Amino acid sequence: MAYGLKLAFGDAVHCFFAEPVHSPCMLLGMLTGEHDAIAVQDIGIDNTTCADGLAVGRASAFVGRVMSPLLSGIYTLQDDTLLALLALAYDSEGLRLEPSALAGVPGMLRVLEDSPLWRAWRQHVGLDSPTIQANTTHIVWSTGGSMVPRAVWEEEYQRGKALLASRR
């Protein structure tokens, strides 16, 4: 999806990859330039995450090299964030998703974060205007969940509910 949007809309689109903290293979591959020649386990990351759709220890050489120049960035998320979002998605929208399907949800909050780094980035790409921000659409490629066994999904949902309750 990111590739197609970037080709269709060019610089008007800013694409970010979102990865679990324990499985940031694209970040590692692109940052080092090693792509598929390095795995997260090579640097001591365990590649253990509830986001099984994103639990990849070694990046695709093809995807990494094609997407690297098209991305605006990559961010990582903790499993607790994904599980809390899973519970929120179900409770508020009735969406029975898997954790990896929710990784893109916090993206816009990251981009709008009030920090010197994000302010500089927004200014650099022309997204520092409140008018432009108000007319921005955040798209999350959110698939998955219907094939997750009900017992597994229910356990993840309950973990997410508990996390939300502990934050209140």
Side-chain angles (χ1 to χ4, degrees), residues 57-114:
R58 185 178 307 273
S60 158
F62 174 75
V63 173
R65 285 180 175 86
V66 169
M67 290 306 299
S68 186
L70 302 178
L71 290 180
S72 293
I74 300 174
Y75 64 89
T76 59
L77 303 99
Q78 296 283 351
D79 279 8
D80 285 358
T81 300
L82 295 171
L83 292 170
L85 289 169
L86 182 141
L88 282 171
Y90 185 74
D91 290 348
S92 66
E93 304 299 324
L95 297 173
R96 190 173 163 256
L97 300 170
E98 63 181 325
S100 60
L102 295 149
V105 172
M108 196 63 184
L109 291 176
R110 298 278 176 101
V111 169
L112 294 176
E113 195 173 283
D114 189 26

Side-chain angles (χ1 to χ4, degrees), residues 127-148:
L127 293 177
D128 54 340
S129 158
T131 303
I132 290 173
Q133 291 174 14
N135 291 304
T136 298
T137 301
H138 177 204
I139 299 173
V140 177
W141 185 254
S142 189
T143 63
S146 64
M147 305 274 299
V148 176

Side-chain angles (χ1 to χ4, degrees), residues 52 86 96 148-158:
D52 61 348
L86 182 141
R96 190 173 163 256
V148 176
R150 184 70 183 178
V152 172
W153 184 87
E154 185 64 37
E155 180 182 324
E156 290 174 336
Y157 170 73
Q158 291 304 326

